Amino acid sequence: MHIHVLGAAAGGGFPQWNCNCPNCDGLRKGTIKATKRSQSSICISGNGIDWVLFNASPDVLQQIQDFAPLQPGRNIRDSGIQAIVLIDAQIDHTTGLFMLREGKVKREIYCTDMVYEDLTSGNQILNILGHYCGINRHDVPIDGAQSFEIPNVPNLRFTAVALKSAAPPYSPHRNDPHPGDTIGVLIEEISTGKKCWYSPGLGEIEPHLPPLMSQADCIMVDGTFWTNTEMIDMGLMTKTARSIGHNPQSGEGGMIEKLNEFGTDKKVRKILIHINNTNPILRDDSAERAILNENQIEVAYDGMDIIL
Ligand code: MLT
Ligand code: MN
Ligand code: ZN
């Protein structure tokens, strides 16, 4: 299985256009050791030719240009992207769909009922696409028992589960969470049995998750914030990380502690993805990055390739 990180940052990217936090300001001025990152998306292939795009980031056009296999060039109009799986309805994961409106072939979109509802109500993007390429919407089962395959993406099997999280700010049910607002997905390469767990928005490792996550050879999880109060401490937001669906890395019950429960019996790559621009782990020489290194947890970057 080939996993390619198209964008490793959370909503806003790094640096964020209107942000002068120490990270964004330092990156712009070249005074910190860090690399810019675009907004959250990965693509996966089980044959190196046909790809499933996980999330359509606002930066998707540049991300496609930066990864040649996504344009195989077989026809006058062509793409290696055969289907798009949306893990939630957040702006940073869906607005790239506007950029993928060209062509006569319908976009194959896989999302839960809750995400479909948000993307046809509070945010009308899927309705609007109907006036361009059109879409074929496929439901994503979230009971964890049913897997699904994507016809044009051979050799991969997907198992999704609902995660405790929050619907986007624009959602009609923002303050009333429903199963399917956010999902985590276990992706299996059928020919090799290799598996990757992907959940860029993960508010809590609930009891139904370890049985799936422990099957994975690579765990890619929410790396948004270092502390629960990061945005409050910087005066940027009044909400905690957990309350907006992002379990922070540090502290009790944090992602580092939780990730250490995996990989005790086999080699597992642990990778943080969807990293907010305020997060100190973005600085290659920070104390926080050193703690991740000690715990053998990697920080995703744009262009990262993971071959399982
Ligand atoms: C989030 O996951 O909380 C987002 O990155 C928010 C956004 O895209 O605005
Ligand atoms: Mn996000
Ligand atoms: Zn910033």
Side-chain angles (χ1 to χ4, degrees):
M1 173 175 358
H2 185 166
I3 303 154
H4 183 83
V5 176
L6 292 163
F14 176 47
Q16 181 174 307
W17 67 282
N18 66 345
C19 190
N20 289 299
C21 76
N23 278 354
C24 291
D25 184 56
L27 183 66
R28 254 180 236 116
K29 291 181 175 152
T31 54
I32 60 168
K33 220 176 148 214
T35 315
K36 71 175 182 175
R37 285 168 170 82
S38 64
Q39 293 169 87
S40 180
S41 179
I42 65 170
C43 57
I44 302 188
S45 178
N47 66 0
I49 300 165
D50 303 297
W51 296 82
V52 55
L53 182 68
F54 278 85
N55 304 317
S57 146
D59 305 316
V60 69
L61 295 184
Q62 188 62 49
Q63 293 171 342
I64 291 170
Q65 284 178 31
D66 291 344
F67 187 49
L70 292 182
Q71 183 43 268
R74 296 163 293 200
N75 290 300
I76 181 85
R77 289 283 168 86
D78 197 14
S79 172
I81 299 170
Q82 298 290 356
I84 303 163
V85 176
L86 302 173
I87 68 105
D88 62 27
Q90 295 275 0
I91 296 286
D92 59 338
H93 286 156
T94 59
T95 42
L97 291 172
F98 278 129
M99 304 302 119
L100 303 178
R101 67 193 176 283
E102 292 91 357
K104 294 190 175 70
V105 182
K106 288 184 178 171
R107 295 300 92 83
E108 303 291 336
I109 310 257
Y110 290 74
C111 65
T112 64
D113 286 337
M114 293 325 297
V115 167
Y116 185 69
E117 192 179 300
D118 279 344
L119 298 180
T120 50
S121 62
N123 173 354
Q124 298 270 338
I125 195 163
L126 294 183
N127 294 339
I128 293 171
L129 279 187
H131 298 278
Y132 297 86
C133 54
I135 67 159
N136 276 328
R137 185 260 166 161
H138 307 265
D139 186 27
V140 169
I142 51 171
D143 59 8
Q146 298 174 68
S147 300
F148 66 98
E149 291 179 32
I150 298 178
N152 290 335
V153 186
N155 201 23
L156 295 179
R157 184 183 294 135
F158 309 83
T159 310
V161 277
L163 305 179
K164 190 181 279 183
S165 195
Y170 70 78
S171 170
H173 64 276
R174 164 72 164 172
N175 298 313
D176 177 21
H178 286 62
D181 286 335
T182 304
I183 56 169
V185 189
L186 187 69
I187 305 112
E188 176 181 4
E189 185 174 64
I190 296 167
S191 60
T192 60
K194 293 285 182 188
K195 292 176 186 165
C196 173
W197 168 264
Y198 177 60
S199 58
L202 183 58
E204 188 184 319
I205 314 250
E206 300 164 83
H208 66 291
L209 302 184
L212 285 173
M213 291 173 70
S214 61
Q215 297 177 36
D217 304 282
C218 175
I219 298 177
M220 302 182 87
V221 289
D222 192 327
T224 313
F225 299 115
W226 179 254
T227 69
N228 193 37
T229 57
E230 189 165 314
M231 296 295 272
I232 299 172
D233 298 343
M234 288 195 187
L236 298 173
M237 206 193 257
T238 54
K239 292 183 167 145
T240 63
R242 287 192 176 95
S243 76
I244 58 165
H246 300 298
N247 191 33
Q249 284 103 61
S250 63
E252 205 184 321
M255 217 55 105
I256 297 172
E257 185 188 298
K258 291 292 170 187
L259 285 175
N260 279 331
E261 294 171 11
F262 299 96
T264 49
D265 53 342
K266 63 172 177 186
K267 173 106 192 75
V268 175
R269 281 185 78 173
K270 302 167 185 177
I271 302 171
L272 296 171
I273 194 158
H274 187 280
I275 304 149
N276 198 57
N277 54 71
T278 50
N279 193 329
I281 64 171
L282 286 169
R283 295 197 300 275
D284 298 339
D285 54 2
S286 67
E288 292 82 358
R289 176 70 77 87
I291 293 171
L292 293 184
N293 291 342
E294 279 163 30
N295 287 278
Q296 293 178 303
I297 298 171
E298 302 171 67
V299 177
Y301 52 88
D302 290 19
M304 184 182 203
D305 282 303
I306 300 137
I307 312 287
L308 296 178

